[in-house]
Amino acid sequence: MAEQRSLFAGDKAAGKAKADGGSKNSAAKPSKPRASAKKATSSKKSGAGKASKGTTKAHQMAEKAREISVSEFFAKNRHLLGFDSKRKALLTTVKEAVDNALDACEEADILPDLTVRLTALKEEDRYKVTVSDNGPGILPEQVDLVFAKLLYGSKFHRLRQSRGQQGIGISAAGMYGQMTTGKPVMIRSRIGKQHDAIEVGVRIDTTKNEPVRTRNKVIEWDRDHGTEVSITLEGSYKRGRGSVDEYIAQTAVANPHVSIVFFPPDKKEPEIHERATKALPRPPKEIKPHPYGVELGTLMKMMKITASTRLSSFLQADFSRVSSRTAQEICERAKLDPASRVKSLEHKSAEALAKGIAATKIMNPPTDCLSPIGEDLVETGLKKEIGEAEFFVSRTRPPSVYRGNPFQIEVGVALGGSLPADASVRLMRLANRVPLQYQPGACAITKAVTSVDWKAYGLQQPRGALPIGPVIIMVHIASAWVPFTSESKEAVASYPEILKELRLALQECGRKMQRYLRRRRRIADELKKRQYIDKYIPHIGEALRDILELNVKESDRVVAELRDTLERSRKL
């Protein structure tokens, strides 16, 4: 304390000396206080030094962090969306535009008339893809969002069968075109006779995932309603497996109600795929999620945003197939009060509720959210596009469920005709009426086909591979939510429930094909025997006439009886 007081006194003296002009005697006395002041200054400096040392690598790294928009992410990882090669990019662009057009037409109860045009430009590997439809059109204020904003759409939150799901496809195609050619997406649309037709050009600002309109004008258009989208992009056009041509042909098979006019870049005349039926597919209905398909985190989120107040009413209103009795049983198994306020339930209660749901027997979800092709139309579509086959068979399985999501498997088989007999069977994979062209090895459909013992059904089959023979196998999965393995929607995930249904449908078609093959083989054997009879009986008649010394009339009678005996002894 004494030292502290002396220091304060020295400070006062130093201040007085400074005020008096700083005489030598007064300046000599406050030497210790000056040292103390230096010490204080140095301590401040050392404090500043500690502050600077407090800026760590973590601080520097945190300064560099920023939010990434979804379009910026997919612009750098476009292979995830199917734009990893020029040939595949061209196909993906056509596919996304056609899918959008078909969904729009069917939702508006309009028989789809589509035109797909590929135009090769002067620049190498540059194409202009134009897809037009006779659908309901798009509202002018929505055009930008539909074609130039990723994850914008009306299908993600609706649990029902549809081609598109995520709201990524057509915007991603436009973004790819913008990245490779710098050209905006051009859209023409009209929503009715009484409304103007508009032409809009849009780009996507990838840093913000926001559309930027580059053109907006009213035009004269020769159609009452519809949409036309044009995307200029880098691509590669080749025919064969995985081509645009094959995609268009398979789309016509899976959608016999559609008329498609396709203008390939290497032909002047279009390829026309006429519709085989004027009946639109049964419109799928939207359903609520099934309790078995909802995980704990999703369940907790639903409990917070529900419009219901009580637990029992929440279970009945927000889920499908939950009656008041079922809700009561779930609450009993979870040991929760059905009248408790659902939004006030905590994590422990939500976990108990999830276990109660799992322990309760609940009906499968309704299947009116699905719109399968149907056995007759599967065969009709195959016959229309592959007319050279001699035998057709199809099977539509009853609806089943995986993770609470309803799905249905359909299989069609075409056999014989001019199909190659020494090559692997041609496998057509489809999901919600959309052909899957790439990643066959990663798809549950391919795995199911290769796992079936096709030798038992009359075909050759190397181990672990597709069977060999003059056969086309078409497999379709219809689901309210198809479990694709990636955002590019090229392969179906191998859920045990899906694999089981696929195998059953394939085996049913295989048994029918086996019966046909056996019958065909018997007929072939009979024809061969008939040829032997026709070839050798006349010679036998001549020999009998010489040996038995018969006249012509007697030998003819003997030959006729012999022929009749041989014919009756054969088993057809």
Side-chain angles (χ1 to χ4, degrees), residues 146-384:
V146 170
F147 291 96
K149 186 179 179 69
L150 269 66
L151 295 178
Y152 178 86
S154 60
K155 302 167 188 173
F156 185 84
H157 299 285
R158 291 191 297 176
L159 199 57
R160 71 171 199 173
Q161 179 182 330
S162 64
R163 293 174 181 82
Q165 290 180 337
Q166 301 160 338
I168 291 179
I170 193 63
S171 299
M175 183 175 67
Y176 172 80
Q178 175 183 320
M179 290 169 60
T180 55
T181 67
K183 300 287 184 70
V185 181
M186 300 303 298
I187 305 104
R188 289 184 172 187
S189 183
R190 192 175 193 174
I191 60 174
K193 222 174 190 179
Q194 312 301 325
H195 298 266
D196 292 329
I198 59 169
E199 184 176 73
V200 177
V202 292
R203 297 178 182 271
I204 183 168
D205 182 351
T206 56
T207 58
K208 299 178 182 177
N209 188 33
E210 291 294 337
V212 178
R213 188 171 285 201
T214 62
R215 183 184 181 88
N216 185 24
K217 61 181 272 188
V218 176
I219 60 169
E220 294 291 330
W221 210 21
D222 59 355
R223 63 184 66 183
D224 296 338
H225 52 82
T227 303
E228 180 182 279
V229 55
S230 297
I231 300 175
T232 305
L233 58 111
E234 279 191 0
S236 175
Y237 175 78
K238 292 179 182 177
R239 292 181 176 269
R241 295 289 176 92
S243 65
V244 175
D245 306 75
E246 188 177 58
Y247 165 78
I248 296 291
Q250 291 188 18
T251 299
V253 171
N255 301 272
H257 62 289
V258 175
S259 170
I260 304 177
V261 179
F262 173 49
F263 290 86
D266 56 355
K267 285 184 179 180
K268 290 184 179 180
E269 296 298 321
E271 297 175 5
I272 300 175
H273 301 266
E274 297 285 355
R275 63 171 53 93
T277 177
K278 292 185 177 181
L280 278 164
R282 184 188 67 198
K285 296 182 180 179
E286 184 178 355
I287 64 169
K288 293 171 184 176
H290 193 270
Y292 286 165
V294 176
E295 294 168 329
L296 178 59
T298 307
L299 179 62
M300 293 174 66
K301 178 184 174 183
M302 293 176 67
M303 290 166 66
K304 296 299 180 186
I305 64 174
T306 181
S308 303
T309 56
R310 304 299 174 187
L311 178 57
S312 178
S313 58
F314 159 68
L315 291 171
Q316 295 176 63
D318 290 42
F319 294 99
S320 63
R321 298 303 197 190
V322 178
S323 62
S324 58
R325 183 176 177 180
T326 305
Q328 183 73 25
E329 186 179 349
I330 291 172
C331 293
E332 287 176 2
R333 292 182 182 276
K335 296 180 180 178
L336 295 172
D337 183 5
S340 58
R341 292 182 62 83
V342 65
K343 292 185 179 180
S344 63
L345 293 177
E346 299 178 352
H347 180 275
K348 189 176 180 180
S349 300
E351 199 163 358
L353 183 61
K355 291 179 181 177
I357 289 172
T360 304
K361 189 174 181 180
I362 305 173
M363 287 179 63
N364 285 340
T367 56
D368 53 3
C369 61
L370 303 178
S371 180
I373 302 169
E375 292 181 0
D376 292 340
L377 287 178
V378 166
E379 289 189 33
T380 300
L382 285 171
K383 288 175 182 177
K384 180 170 70 80

Side-chain angles (χ1 to χ4, degrees), residues 41-61:
T41 307
S42 65
S43 68
K44 286 181 182 177
K45 287 182 180 177
S46 67
K50 283 182 181 177
S52 63
K53 287 180 183 176
T55 305
T56 63
K57 288 286 185 184
H59 289 88
Q60 296 172 9
M61 292 168 66

